[in-house]
Amino acid sequence: MSTNTIHLASLLLCSLLSFASAGNFNQDFDITWGDGRAKILNNGQLLTLSLDKVSGSGFQSKNQYLFGKIDMQLKLVPGNSAGTVTAYYLSSQGPTHDEIDFEFLGNLSGDPYTLHTNVFSQGKGNREQQFHLWFDPTKNFHTYSILWNPQHIIFSVDGIPIRDFKNKESVGVAFPKNQPMRLYSSLWDAEDWATRGGLIKTDWTKAPFRAWYRNFNANACVWSSGRSRCPSTAKTSSSSSPSLYNNAWLYQELDSNSQRRLRWVQRNYMVYNYCSDFKRFPQGLPRECH
């Protein structure tokens, strides 16, 4: 039996608890910084972050997760957002931390946001892929999802996969699978690098900048008392249909239709891929790129 199979089996042998978190920010998150610039509104159904010249703001999940499918709807800073970064990511702590990143790099009015993705495992990152979106992310809410299981990390936008980072431990590439992670988000000033390498500075006359969040959902294994507790596949008492909070995502991978959609996004909207940057890796591309 493979190490991954044993690891997955141990997860499923844990005490299985139906865990659902569906959009109450008061229950699911703590505001961690910003001195009042982050606000939870509408009885926990809406959260806003703001940034001015003094400070940005941020929040984190109360729970830690070891594998899961995380969804959040975001509406990004409108207008001239150059120099701002809205970060939305999973991360563990420490020098050998794991991390799964969405970062939205603002731009001048009329220019597209850059959606920056990255994966860290055992403290090693440098796995950037960047995209422009096929819609204006400041006009309406859109769903940004991370599916993280023992074999895949799949980034999706409105259900369309944009990136699939596969477990390639077989060729010596570390994969995030042992460290529980919290969900974090922040809105902060990165004018030194975010927009065209720092050439475009933040226009503080447009401050405060704001981003909005709603409809958080975590169908995930929650880390508790040193182990991971996963959602149950049991049927609900009030319905003959399986619970929405099942563990099918633990085995999920891209089917042929999803692979076609992934290729469509990467062909038309990817603007940077570390696996194609031969100048950056003159000694050879990272192993997972092959």
Side-chain angles (χ1 to χ4, degrees), residues 99-145:
E99 188 170 317
I100 303 169
D101 292 340
F102 276 111
E103 289 187 287
F104 303 89
L105 313 186
N107 216 329
L108 295 171
S109 298
D111 289 342
Y113 264 77
T114 296
L115 171 51
H116 175 101
T117 68
N118 203 353
V119 175
F120 287 75
S121 52
Q122 294 294 305
K124 179 184 182 299
N126 300 321
R127 299 184 174 106
E128 302 91 345
Q129 289 185 354
Q130 295 182 339
F131 306 84
H132 288 159
L133 295 167
W134 50 95
F135 52 83
D136 184 342
T138 73
K139 297 296 186 185
N140 296 294
F141 284 92
H142 293 270
T143 302
Y144 302 91
S145 305

mmCIF file of all heavy atoms in Angstrom, residues 99-145:
data_model
loop_
_atom_site.group_PDB
_atom_site.id
_atom_site.type_symbol
_atom_site.label_atom_id
_atom_site.label_comp_id
_atom_site.label_asym_id
_atom_site.label_seq_id
_atom_site.Cartn_x
_atom_site.Cartn_y
_atom_site.Cartn_z
ATOM 1 N N GLU A 99 1.712 26.605 1.725
ATOM 2 C CA GLU A 99 0.847 27.745 1.402
ATOM 3 C C GLU A 99 0.254 27.557 0.007
ATOM 4 O O GLU A 99 0.918 27.033 -0.891
ATOM 5 C CB GLU A 99 1.664 29.046 1.464
ATOM 6 C CG GLU A 99 0.859 30.310 1.340
ATOM 7 C CD GLU A 99 1.702 31.543 1.659
ATOM 8 O OE1 GLU A 99 2.467 31.494 2.648
ATOM 9 O OE2 GLU A 99 1.618 32.538 0.924
ATOM 10 N N ILE A 100 -1.000 27.983 -0.142
ATOM 11 C CA ILE A 100 -1.709 27.928 -1.424
ATOM 12 C C ILE A 100 -2.311 29.307 -1.643
ATOM 13 O O ILE A 100 -3.184 29.726 -0.889
ATOM 14 C CB ILE A 100 -2.809 26.845 -1.411
ATOM 15 C CG1 ILE A 100 -2.222 25.471 -1.066
ATOM 16 C CG2 ILE A 100 -3.525 26.799 -2.762
ATOM 17 C CD1 ILE A 100 -3.278 24.403 -0.779
ATOM 18 N N ASP A 101 -1.850 30.023 -2.677
ATOM 19 C CA ASP A 101 -2.128 31.458 -2.814
ATOM 20 C C ASP A 101 -2.995 31.824 -4.001
ATOM 21 O O ASP A 101 -2.730 31.399 -5.132
ATOM 22 C CB ASP A 101 -0.810 32.235 -3.030
ATOM 23 C CG ASP A 101 0.093 32.242 -1.827
ATOM 24 O OD1 ASP A 101 -0.391 32.003 -0.725
ATOM 25 O OD2 ASP A 101 1.296 32.498 -2.020
ATOM 26 N N PHE A 102 -3.993 32.668 -3.743
ATOM 27 C CA PHE A 102 -4.568 33.579 -4.723
ATOM 28 C C PHE A 102 -4.127 34.986 -4.301
ATOM 29 O O PHE A 102 -4.344 35.381 -3.151
ATOM 30 C CB PHE A 102 -6.098 33.575 -4.668
ATOM 31 C CG PHE A 102 -6.795 32.502 -5.438
ATOM 32 C CD1 PHE A 102 -7.468 31.483 -4.781
ATOM 33 C CD2 PHE A 102 -6.848 32.530 -6.831
ATOM 34 C CE1 PHE A 102 -8.172 30.512 -5.478
ATOM 35 C CE2 PHE A 102 -7.543 31.557 -7.536
ATOM 36 C CZ PHE A 102 -8.199 30.546 -6.861
ATOM 37 N N GLU A 103 -3.568 35.765 -5.214
ATOM 38 C CA GLU A 103 -3.298 37.177 -4.952
ATOM 39 C C GLU A 103 -3.766 37.975 -6.165
ATOM 40 O O GLU A 103 -3.453 37.621 -7.308
ATOM 41 C CB GLU A 103 -1.811 37.436 -4.692
ATOM 42 C CG GLU A 103 -1.327 36.896 -3.362
ATOM 43 C CD GLU A 103 0.103 37.329 -3.063
ATOM 44 O OE1 GLU A 103 1.027 36.797 -3.712
ATOM 45 O OE2 GLU A 103 0.296 38.196 -2.204
ATOM 46 N N PHE A 104 -4.500 39.036 -5.889
ATOM 47 C CA PHE A 104 -5.063 39.867 -6.948
ATOM 48 C C PHE A 104 -4.303 41.187 -6.966
ATOM 49 O O PHE A 104 -4.398 41.984 -6.031
ATOM 50 C CB PHE A 104 -6.552 40.096 -6.706
ATOM 51 C CG PHE A 104 -7.350 38.826 -6.601
ATOM 52 C CD1 PHE A 104 -7.523 38.197 -5.380
ATOM 53 C CD2 PHE A 104 -7.905 38.240 -7.732
ATOM 54 C CE1 PHE A 104 -8.253 37.024 -5.275
ATOM 55 C CE2 PHE A 104 -8.632 37.064 -7.645
ATOM 56 C CZ PHE A 104 -8.803 36.449 -6.409
ATOM 57 N N LEU A 105 -3.535 41.395 -8.035
ATOM 58 C CA LEU A 105 -2.686 42.576 -8.146
ATOM 59 C C LEU A 105 -3.443 43.663 -8.893
ATOM 60 O O LEU A 105 -3.806 43.501 -10.058
ATOM 61 C CB LEU A 105 -1.386 42.238 -8.885
ATOM 62 C CG LEU A 105 -0.644 40.964 -8.444
ATOM 63 C CD1 LEU A 105 0.681 40.850 -9.170
ATOM 64 C CD2 LEU A 105 -0.449 40.915 -6.944
ATOM 65 N N GLY A 106 -3.670 44.784 -8.207
ATOM 66 C CA GLY A 106 -4.433 45.879 -8.794
ATOM 67 C C GLY A 106 -3.721 46.532 -9.960
ATOM 68 O O GLY A 106 -2.531 46.305 -10.212
ATOM 69 N N ASN A 107 -4.468 47.379 -10.689
ATOM 70 C CA ASN A 107 -3.894 48.026 -11.856
ATOM 71 C C ASN A 107 -4.586 49.359 -12.103
ATOM 72 O O ASN A 107 -5.533 49.723 -11.403
ATOM 73 C CB ASN A 107 -4.021 47.124 -13.090
ATOM 74 C CG ASN A 107 -2.810 47.248 -14.005
ATOM 75 O OD1 ASN A 107 -2.189 48.306 -14.093
ATOM 76 N ND2 ASN A 107 -2.473 46.163 -14.677
ATOM 77 N N LEU A 108 -4.099 50.075 -13.096
ATOM 78 C CA LEU A 108 -4.728 51.334 -13.475
ATOM 79 C C LEU A 108 -6.143 51.098 -13.979
ATOM 80 O O LEU A 108 -6.462 50.015 -14.490
ATOM 81 C CB LEU A 108 -3.901 52.028 -14.566
ATOM 82 C CG LEU A 108 -2.499 52.494 -14.168
ATOM 83 C CD1 LEU A 108 -1.739 52.957 -15.406
ATOM 84 C CD2 LEU A 108 -2.587 53.630 -13.148
ATOM 85 N N SER A 109 -6.987 52.091 -13.851
ATOM 86 C CA SER A 109 -8.365 51.981 -14.330
ATOM 87 C C SER A 109 -8.371 51.548 -15.791
ATOM 88 O O SER A 109 -7.649 52.101 -16.624
ATOM 89 C CB SER A 109 -9.076 53.324 -14.187
ATOM 90 O OG SER A 109 -9.135 53.713 -12.841
ATOM 91 N N GLY A 110 -9.178 50.538 -16.096
ATOM 92 C CA GLY A 110 -9.302 50.055 -17.464
ATOM 93 C C GLY A 110 -8.353 48.946 -17.812
ATOM 94 O O GLY A 110 -8.553 48.242 -18.805
ATOM 95 N N ASP A 111 -7.291 48.746 -17.004
ATOM 96 C CA ASP A 111 -6.366 47.638 -17.237
ATOM 97 C C ASP A 111 -6.784 46.455 -16.377
ATOM 98 O O ASP A 111 -7.329 46.631 -15.283
ATOM 99 C CB ASP A 111 -4.934 48.048 -16.888
ATOM 100 C CG ASP A 111 -4.354 49.032 -17.892
ATOM 101 O OD1 ASP A 111 -4.909 49.136 -19.000
ATOM 102 O OD2 ASP A 111 -3.358 49.689 -17.565
ATOM 103 N N PRO A 112 -6.514 45.241 -16.845
ATOM 104 C CA PRO A 112 -6.992 44.079 -16.088
ATOM 105 C C PRO A 112 -6.181 43.837 -14.821
ATOM 106 O O PRO A 112 -4.982 44.135 -14.753
ATOM 107 C CB PRO A 112 -6.800 42.926 -17.076
ATOM 108 C CG PRO A 112 -5.704 43.375 -17.981
ATOM 109 C CD PRO A 112 -5.873 44.869 -18.118
ATOM 110 N N TYR A 113 -6.860 43.300 -13.810
ATOM 111 C CA TYR A 113 -6.164 42.747 -12.659
ATOM 112 C C TYR A 113 -5.275 41.593 -13.116
ATOM 113 O O TYR A 113 -5.574 40.916 -14.103
ATOM 114 C CB TYR A 113 -7.172 42.183 -11.657
ATOM 115 C CG TYR A 113 -7.550 43.105 -10.521
ATOM 116 C CD1 TYR A 113 -8.447 44.158 -10.725
ATOM 117 C CD2 TYR A 113 -7.027 42.922 -9.250
ATOM 118 C CE1 TYR A 113 -8.819 44.990 -9.683
ATOM 119 C CE2 TYR A 113 -7.393 43.743 -8.201
ATOM 120 C CZ TYR A 113 -8.284 44.784 -8.412
ATOM 121 O OH TYR A 113 -8.637 45.611 -7.371
ATOM 122 N N THR A 114 -4.187 41.362 -12.382
ATOM 123 C CA THR A 114 -3.404 40.149 -12.548
ATOM 124 C C THR A 114 -3.719 39.217 -11.383
ATOM 125 O O THR A 114 -3.556 39.594 -10.221
ATOM 126 C CB THR A 114 -1.897 40.451 -12.576
ATOM 127 O OG1 THR A 114 -1.604 41.253 -13.727
ATOM 128 C CG2 THR A 114 -1.084 39.159 -12.652
ATOM 129 N N LEU A 115 -4.182 38.025 -11.692
ATOM 130 C CA LEU A 115 -4.429 37.000 -10.689
ATOM 131 C C LEU A 115 -3.168 36.152 -10.570
ATOM 132 O O LEU A 115 -2.773 35.463 -11.508
ATOM 133 C CB LEU A 115 -5.628 36.142 -11.080
ATOM 134 C CG LEU A 115 -5.897 34.885 -10.248
ATOM 135 C CD1 LEU A 115 -5.921 35.182 -8.760
ATOM 136 C CD2 LEU A 115 -7.199 34.226 -10.679
ATOM 137 N N HIS A 116 -2.530 36.245 -9.423
ATOM 138 C CA HIS A 116 -1.251 35.590 -9.148
ATOM 139 C C HIS A 116 -1.523 34.356 -8.293
ATOM 140 O O HIS A 116 -2.200 34.447 -7.267
ATOM 141 C CB HIS A 116 -0.362 36.592 -8.401
ATOM 142 C CG HIS A 116 0.962 36.066 -7.935
ATOM 143 N ND1 HIS A 116 2.130 36.317 -8.613
ATOM 144 C CD2 HIS A 116 1.306 35.337 -6.841
ATOM 145 C CE1 HIS A 116 3.143 35.766 -7.953
ATOM 146 N NE2 HIS A 116 2.666 35.160 -6.876
ATOM 147 N N THR A 117 -1.025 33.186 -8.701
ATOM 148 C CA THR A 117 -1.162 31.966 -7.910
ATOM 149 C C THR A 117 0.224 31.414 -7.588
ATOM 150 O O THR A 117 1.176 31.599 -8.338
ATOM 151 C CB THR A 117 -1.978 30.890 -8.652
ATOM 152 O OG1 THR A 117 -1.245 30.424 -9.794
ATOM 153 C CG2 THR A 117 -3.337 31.436 -9.083
ATOM 154 N N ASN A 118 0.291 30.731 -6.437
ATOM 155 C CA ASN A 118 1.569 30.136 -6.037
ATOM 156 C C ASN A 118 1.281 28.971 -5.093
ATOM 157 O O ASN A 118 0.222 28.928 -4.448
ATOM 158 C CB ASN A 118 2.456 31.179 -5.342
ATOM 159 C CG ASN A 118 3.937 30.837 -5.397
ATOM 160 O OD1 ASN A 118 4.335 29.769 -5.840
ATOM 161 N ND2 ASN A 118 4.767 31.763 -4.935
ATOM 162 N N VAL A 119 2.200 28.039 -5.017
ATOM 163 C CA VAL A 119 2.117 26.912 -4.089
ATOM 164 C C VAL A 119 3.459 26.782 -3.384
ATOM 165 O O VAL A 119 4.501 26.691 -4.039
ATOM 166 C CB VAL A 119 1.779 25.593 -4.818
ATOM 167 C CG1 VAL A 119 1.812 24.419 -3.838
ATOM 168 C CG2 VAL A 119 0.422 25.676 -5.511
ATOM 169 N N PHE A 120 3.433 26.789 -2.051
ATOM 170 C CA PHE A 120 4.606 26.519 -1.236
ATOM 171 C C PHE A 120 4.463 25.132 -0.609
ATOM 172 O O PHE A 120 3.381 24.776 -0.127
ATOM 173 C CB PHE A 120 4.730 27.530 -0.091
ATOM 174 C CG PHE A 120 5.148 28.907 -0.500
ATOM 175 C CD1 PHE A 120 4.253 29.760 -1.130
ATOM 176 C CD2 PHE A 120 6.422 29.376 -0.227
ATOM 177 C CE1 PHE A 120 4.626 31.042 -1.489
ATOM 178 C CE2 PHE A 120 6.806 30.659 -0.578
ATOM 179 C CZ PHE A 120 5.914 31.492 -1.219
ATOM 180 N N SER A 121 5.555 24.380 -0.593
ATOM 181 C CA SER A 121 5.586 23.121 0.146
ATOM 182 C C SER A 121 6.926 23.030 0.861
ATOM 183 O O SER A 121 7.981 23.245 0.256
ATOM 184 C CB SER A 121 5.370 21.925 -0.782
ATOM 185 O OG SER A 121 6.253 21.949 -1.883
ATOM 186 N N GLN A 122 6.854 22.777 2.162
ATOM 187 C CA GLN A 122 8.047 22.708 3.007
ATOM 188 C C GLN A 122 8.905 23.971 2.872
ATOM 189 O O GLN A 122 10.134 23.910 2.810
ATOM 190 C CB GLN A 122 8.879 21.465 2.664
ATOM 191 C CG GLN A 122 8.176 20.154 2.996
ATOM 192 C CD GLN A 122 7.965 19.976 4.497
ATOM 193 O OE1 GLN A 122 8.904 20.044 5.277
ATOM 194 N NE2 GLN A 122 6.709 19.780 4.889
ATOM 195 N N GLY A 123 8.233 25.124 2.809
ATOM 196 C CA GLY A 123 8.924 26.402 2.760
ATOM 197 C C GLY A 123 9.404 26.823 1.392
ATOM 198 O O GLY A 123 9.940 27.930 1.232
ATOM 199 N N LYS A 124 9.219 25.988 0.388
ATOM 200 C CA LYS A 124 9.692 26.312 -0.961
ATOM 201 C C LYS A 124 8.518 26.709 -1.846
ATOM 202 O O LYS A 124 7.552 25.964 -1.990
ATOM 203 C CB LYS A 124 10.404 25.105 -1.579
ATOM 204 C CG LYS A 124 10.918 25.357 -2.994
ATOM 205 C CD LYS A 124 11.529 24.101 -3.593
ATOM 206 C CE LYS A 124 12.084 24.342 -4.987
ATOM 207 N NZ LYS A 124 11.052 24.784 -5.941
ATOM 208 N N GLY A 125 8.629 27.920 -2.419
ATOM 209 C CA GLY A 125 7.604 28.409 -3.328
ATOM 210 C C GLY A 125 8.161 28.563 -4.732
ATOM 211 O O GLY A 125 8.590 27.597 -5.355
ATOM 212 N N ASN A 126 8.126 29.790 -5.243
ATOM 213 C CA ASN A 126 8.636 30.083 -6.585
ATOM 214 C C ASN A 126 7.936 29.266 -7.659
ATOM 215 O O ASN A 126 8.548 28.828 -8.634
ATOM 216 C CB ASN A 126 10.150 29.848 -6.660
ATOM 217 C CG ASN A 126 10.920 30.721 -5.699
ATOM 218 O OD1 ASN A 126 10.575 31.894 -5.513
ATOM 219 N ND2 ASN A 126 11.943 30.183 -5.074
ATOM 220 N N ARG A 127 6.619 29.051 -7.465
ATOM 221 C CA ARG A 127 5.839 28.281 -8.437
ATOM 222 C C ARG A 127 4.692 29.156 -8.960
ATOM 223 O O ARG A 127 3.532 28.772 -8.925
ATOM 224 C CB ARG A 127 5.294 27.009 -7.785
ATOM 225 C CG ARG A 127 6.372 26.067 -7.264
ATOM 226 C CD ARG A 127 5.764 24.799 -6.721
ATOM 227 N NE ARG A 127 6.771 23.824 -6.353
ATOM 228 C CZ ARG A 127 7.105 23.532 -5.092
ATOM 229 N NH1 ARG A 127 6.487 24.145 -4.084
ATOM 230 N NH2 ARG A 127 8.016 22.629 -4.835
ATOM 231 N N GLU A 128 5.023 30.307 -9.446
ATOM 232 C CA GLU A 128 4.018 31.288 -9.824
ATOM 233 C C GLU A 128 3.406 31.008 -11.191
ATOM 234 O O GLU A 128 4.114 30.700 -12.151
ATOM 235 C CB GLU A 128 4.624 32.704 -9.850
ATOM 236 C CG GLU A 128 5.245 33.156 -8.542
ATOM 237 C CD GLU A 128 6.731 32.829 -8.432
ATOM 238 O OE1 GLU A 128 7.229 31.998 -9.235
ATOM 239 O OE2 GLU A 128 7.395 33.390 -7.546
ATOM 240 N N GLN A 129 2.111 31.105 -11.252
ATOM 241 C CA GLN A 129 1.392 31.225 -12.520
ATOM 242 C C GLN A 129 0.466 32.428 -12.376
ATOM 243 O O GLN A 129 -0.174 32.612 -11.334
ATOM 244 C CB GLN A 129 0.586 29.966 -12.845
ATOM 245 C CG GLN A 129 1.441 28.772 -13.213
ATOM 246 C CD GLN A 129 0.616 27.571 -13.640
ATOM 247 O OE1 GLN A 129 -0.608 27.569 -13.565
ATOM 248 N NE2 GLN A 129 1.281 26.521 -14.085
ATOM 249 N N GLN A 130 0.406 33.240 -13.428
ATOM 250 C CA GLN A 130 -0.397 34.459 -13.389
ATOM 251 C C GLN A 130 -1.369 34.481 -14.568
ATOM 252 O O GLN A 130 -1.053 33.997 -15.662
ATOM 253 C CB GLN A 130 0.497 35.700 -13.429
ATOM 254 C CG GLN A 130 1.389 35.840 -12.210
ATOM 255 C CD GLN A 130 2.222 37.114 -12.250
ATOM 256 O OE1 GLN A 130 2.451 37.701 -13.312
ATOM 257 N NE2 GLN A 130 2.694 37.541 -11.093
ATOM 258 N N PHE A 131 -2.528 35.098 -14.313
ATOM 259 C CA PHE A 131 -3.608 35.117 -15.292
ATOM 260 C C PHE A 131 -4.252 36.493 -15.319
ATOM 261 O O PHE A 131 -4.256 37.215 -14.319
ATOM 262 C CB PHE A 131 -4.694 34.090 -14.909
ATOM 263 C CG PHE A 131 -4.185 32.698 -14.704
ATOM 264 C CD1 PHE A 131 -3.635 32.305 -13.484
ATOM 265 C CD2 PHE A 131 -4.251 31.760 -15.725
ATOM 266 C CE1 PHE A 131 -3.167 31.018 -13.290
ATOM 267 C CE2 PHE A 131 -3.780 30.470 -15.539
ATOM 268 C CZ PHE A 131 -3.232 30.100 -14.320
ATOM 269 N N HIS A 132 -4.822 36.840 -16.473
ATOM 270 C CA HIS A 132 -5.826 37.885 -16.546
ATOM 271 C C HIS A 132 -7.186 37.199 -16.601
ATOM 272 O O HIS A 132 -7.319 36.105 -17.165
ATOM 273 C CB HIS A 132 -5.616 38.776 -17.769
ATOM 274 C CG HIS A 132 -4.427 39.667 -17.648
ATOM 275 N ND1 HIS A 132 -3.800 40.238 -18.743
ATOM 276 C CD2 HIS A 132 -3.733 40.100 -16.568
ATOM 277 C CE1 HIS A 132 -2.780 40.977 -18.335
ATOM 278 N NE2 HIS A 132 -2.714 40.895 -17.009
ATOM 279 N N LEU A 133 -8.177 37.813 -16.009
ATOM 280 C CA LEU A 133 -9.508 37.199 -15.958
ATOM 281 C C LEU A 133 -10.320 37.568 -17.186
ATOM 282 O O LEU A 133 -10.030 38.559 -17.875
ATOM 283 C CB LEU A 133 -10.212 37.641 -14.676
ATOM 284 C CG LEU A 133 -9.532 37.126 -13.391
ATOM 285 C CD1 LEU A 133 -10.064 37.854 -12.167
ATOM 286 C CD2 LEU A 133 -9.720 35.628 -13.262
ATOM 287 N N TRP A 134 -11.329 36.784 -17.478
ATOM 288 C CA TRP A 134 -12.179 36.987 -18.652
ATOM 289 C C TRP A 134 -13.405 37.825 -18.316
ATOM 290 O O TRP A 134 -14.373 37.852 -19.065
ATOM 291 C CB TRP A 134 -12.580 35.635 -19.240
ATOM 292 C CG TRP A 134 -13.130 34.664 -18.230
ATOM 293 C CD1 TRP A 134 -14.438 34.435 -17.922
ATOM 294 C CD2 TRP A 134 -12.371 33.794 -17.399
ATOM 295 N NE1 TRP A 134 -14.545 33.486 -16.943
ATOM 296 C CE2 TRP A 134 -13.275 33.065 -16.599
ATOM 297 C CE3 TRP A 134 -10.990 33.546 -17.239
ATOM 298 C CZ2 TRP A 134 -12.874 32.117 -15.661
ATOM 299 C CZ3 TRP A 134 -10.591 32.609 -16.308
ATOM 300 C CH2 TRP A 134 -11.517 31.908 -15.537
ATOM 301 N N PHE A 135 -13.351 38.521 -17.185
ATOM 302 C CA PHE A 135 -14.433 39.408 -16.753
ATOM 303 C C PHE A 135 -13.812 40.490 -15.871
ATOM 304 O O PHE A 135 -12.628 40.403 -15.484
ATOM 305 C CB PHE A 135 -15.491 38.625 -15.960
ATOM 306 C CG PHE A 135 -14.920 37.820 -14.821
ATOM 307 C CD1 PHE A 135 -14.657 38.398 -13.579
ATOM 308 C CD2 PHE A 135 -14.614 36.473 -14.984
ATOM 309 C CE1 PHE A 135 -14.109 37.674 -12.541
ATOM 310 C CE2 PHE A 135 -14.075 35.725 -13.945
ATOM 311 C CZ PHE A 135 -13.817 36.330 -12.722
ATOM 312 N N ASP A 136 -14.592 41.503 -15.542
ATOM 313 C CA ASP A 136 -14.139 42.561 -14.636
ATOM 314 C C ASP A 136 -14.449 42.122 -13.204
ATOM 315 O O ASP A 136 -15.619 42.077 -12.807
ATOM 316 C CB ASP A 136 -14.850 43.865 -14.960
ATOM 317 C CG ASP A 136 -14.360 45.040 -14.109
ATOM 318 O OD1 ASP A 136 -13.734 44.795 -13.066
ATOM 319 O OD2 ASP A 136 -14.639 46.199 -14.485
ATOM 320 N N PRO A 137 -13.432 41.797 -12.392
ATOM 321 C CA PRO A 137 -13.678 41.260 -11.050
ATOM 322 C C PRO A 137 -14.118 42.303 -10.033
ATOM 323 O O PRO A 137 -14.332 41.968 -8.862
ATOM 324 C CB PRO A 137 -12.322 40.660 -10.666
ATOM 325 C CG PRO A 137 -11.331 41.523 -11.378
ATOM 326 C CD PRO A 137 -11.981 41.881 -12.691
ATOM 327 N N THR A 138 -14.249 43.572 -10.488
ATOM 328 C CA THR A 138 -14.674 44.640 -9.580
ATOM 329 C C THR A 138 -16.160 44.958 -9.707
ATOM 330 O O THR A 138 -16.697 45.685 -8.873
ATOM 331 C CB THR A 138 -13.870 45.929 -9.842
ATOM 332 O OG1 THR A 138 -14.294 46.534 -11.080
ATOM 333 C CG2 THR A 138 -12.383 45.644 -9.934
ATOM 334 N N LYS A 139 -16.816 44.437 -10.737
ATOM 335 C CA LYS A 139 -18.213 44.790 -10.983
ATOM 336 C C LYS A 139 -19.183 43.956 -10.153
ATOM 337 O O LYS A 139 -20.224 44.442 -9.714
ATOM 338 C CB LYS A 139 -18.546 44.625 -12.474
ATOM 339 C CG LYS A 139 -17.769 45.547 -13.395
ATOM 340 C CD LYS A 139 -18.107 47.008 -13.144
ATOM 341 C CE LYS A 139 -17.427 47.900 -14.178
ATOM 342 N NZ LYS A 139 -17.651 49.343 -13.886
ATOM 343 N N ASN A 140 -18.858 42.668 -10.006
ATOM 344 C CA ASN A 140 -19.741 41.745 -9.301
ATOM 345 C C ASN A 140 -18.912 40.773 -8.484
ATOM 346 O O ASN A 140 -17.684 40.693 -8.621
ATOM 347 C CB ASN A 140 -20.603 40.953 -10.297
ATOM 348 C CG ASN A 140 -21.547 41.840 -11.086
ATOM 349 O OD1 ASN A 140 -22.461 42.420 -10.525
ATOM 350 N ND2 ASN A 140 -21.298 41.947 -12.394
ATOM 351 N N PHE A 141 -19.580 40.015 -7.624
ATOM 352 C CA PHE A 141 -18.924 38.961 -6.881
ATOM 353 C C PHE A 141 -18.660 37.769 -7.798
ATOM 354 O O PHE A 141 -19.503 37.415 -8.629
ATOM 355 C CB PHE A 141 -19.799 38.501 -5.713
ATOM 356 C CG PHE A 141 -19.810 39.451 -4.548
ATOM 357 C CD1 PHE A 141 -20.780 40.436 -4.458
ATOM 358 C CD2 PHE A 141 -18.851 39.360 -3.545
ATOM 359 C CE1 PHE A 141 -20.795 41.312 -3.383
ATOM 360 C CE2 PHE A 141 -18.862 40.229 -2.470
ATOM 361 C CZ PHE A 141 -19.836 41.203 -2.381
ATOM 362 N N HIS A 142 -17.492 37.155 -7.616
ATOM 363 C CA HIS A 142 -17.143 35.922 -8.316
ATOM 364 C C HIS A 142 -16.548 34.939 -7.313
ATOM 365 O O HIS A 142 -15.985 35.350 -6.296
ATOM 366 C CB HIS A 142 -16.148 36.194 -9.448
ATOM 367 C CG HIS A 142 -16.740 36.997 -10.565
ATOM 368 N ND1 HIS A 142 -17.360 36.417 -11.655
ATOM 369 C CD2 HIS A 142 -16.824 38.341 -10.746
ATOM 370 C CE1 HIS A 142 -17.792 37.372 -12.466
ATOM 371 N NE2 HIS A 142 -17.486 38.545 -11.943
ATOM 372 N N THR A 143 -16.686 33.652 -7.621
ATOM 373 C CA THR A 143 -16.279 32.604 -6.688
ATOM 374 C C THR A 143 -14.874 32.118 -7.012
ATOM 375 O O THR A 143 -14.584 31.706 -8.143
ATOM 376 C CB THR A 143 -17.261 31.425 -6.751
ATOM 377 O OG1 THR A 143 -18.583 31.886 -6.457
ATOM 378 C CG2 THR A 143 -16.872 30.350 -5.734
ATOM 379 N N TYR A 144 -14.006 32.171 -6.005
ATOM 380 C CA TYR A 144 -12.622 31.712 -6.131
ATOM 381 C C TYR A 144 -12.446 30.521 -5.193
ATOM 382 O O TYR A 144 -12.710 30.613 -3.991
ATOM 383 C CB TYR A 144 -11.655 32.847 -5.786
ATOM 384 C CG TYR A 144 -11.871 34.055 -6.678
ATOM 385 C CD1 TYR A 144 -12.746 35.072 -6.301
ATOM 386 C CD2 TYR A 144 -11.239 34.157 -7.912
ATOM 387 C CE1 TYR A 144 -12.980 36.168 -7.125
ATOM 388 C CE2 TYR A 144 -11.456 35.250 -8.737
ATOM 389 C CZ TYR A 144 -12.335 36.251 -8.345
ATOM 390 O OH TYR A 144 -12.568 37.318 -9.162
ATOM 391 N N SER A 145 -12.032 29.389 -5.757
ATOM 392 C CA SER A 145 -12.045 28.121 -5.022
ATOM 393 C C SER A 145 -10.675 27.465 -5.017
ATOM 394 O O SER A 145 -9.924 27.520 -5.997
ATOM 395 C CB SER A 145 -13.050 27.146 -5.655
ATOM 396 O OG SER A 145 -14.335 27.716 -5.733
#
